[in-house]
């Protein structure tokens, strides 16, 4: 289950917000916090056994909860919508992932960095 896709998603998100996210709003902080949430998720996955699907589901649910909280904090409508959508997708991952099928998680991980980068511009 483990792979380079987790690291690459985190690197892309860090690069997005390192370039600067929103001036005069809380957009930059929220974007940075979203990047930190992904980093925390990656760190959690690195500590979980690839066979412990319950913990993988819990990690996805925790990330969804964090994205929901960030969406509520954001004063940027586009960022709020993006984070809410990301949270919904991670909730779906948390219920839909199985030991034999991680395709939903892989799809989310591949698509979300671009969506967040766009919202954080």
């Amino acid at each position: 289950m483990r792979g380079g896709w987790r690291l690459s998603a985190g690197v892309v998100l860090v690069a997005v917000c390192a370039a600067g996210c929103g001036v005069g709003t809380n957009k930059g902080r929220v974007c940075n916090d979203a990047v930190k949430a992904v980093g925390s998720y990656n760190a959690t996955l690195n500590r979980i056994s690839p066979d412990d699907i319950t913990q993988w589901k819990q990690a996805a649910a925790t990330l969804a909860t964090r994205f929901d909280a960030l969406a509520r904090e954001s004063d940027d409508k586009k960022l709020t919508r993006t984070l809410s959508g990301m949270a919904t997708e991670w909730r779906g991952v948390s219920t839909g992932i199985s030991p034999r099928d991680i395709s939903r998680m892989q799809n989310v991980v591949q698509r979300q960095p671009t969506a967040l980068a766009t919202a954080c511009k």
Side-chain angles (χ1 to χ4, degrees), residues 43-62:
T44 298
L45 292 186
N46 287 328
R47 293 188 302 268
I48 298 173
S49 166
D51 300 327
D52 192 345
I53 199 67
T54 301
Q55 293 242 352
W56 282 76
K57 287 180 176 185
Q58 180 58 44
T62 299

Side-chain angles (χ1 to χ4, degrees), residues 46-118:
N46 287 328
R47 293 188 302 268
I48 298 173
S49 166
D51 300 327
D52 192 345
I53 199 67
T54 301
Q55 293 242 352
W56 282 76
K57 287 180 176 185
Q58 180 58 44
T62 299
L63 185 58
T65 299
R66 183 63 183 131
F67 283 152
D68 272 333
L70 290 170
R72 286 189 301 273
E73 290 176 26
S74 175
D75 58 11
D76 181 85
K77 289 180 184 184
K78 183 177 182 179
L79 181 56
T80 297
R81 280 190 309 273
T82 298
L83 290 168
S84 292
M86 291 170 69
T88 298
E89 288 183 310
W90 281 107
R91 264 190 300 288
V93 168
S94 74
T95 59
I97 193 173
S98 73
R100 289 183 170 66
D101 186 10
I102 63 166
S103 61
R104 188 177 213 172
M105 181 175 62
Q106 289 171 321
N107 186 31
V108 169
V109 167
Q110 290 171 350
R111 192 173 59 294
Q112 283 191 354
T114 302
L116 188 58
T118 300

Side-chain angles (χ1 to χ4, degrees), residues 11-25:
V11 170
V12 169
L13 292 176
V14 169
V16 166
C17 285
C21 303
V23 178
T25 68

Side-chain angles (χ1 to χ4, degrees), residues 13-35:
L13 292 176
V14 169
V16 166
C17 285
C21 303
V23 178
T25 68
N26 73 348
K27 187 176 182 177
R29 182 191 55 77
V30 171
C31 286
N32 286 330
D33 287 352
V35 171

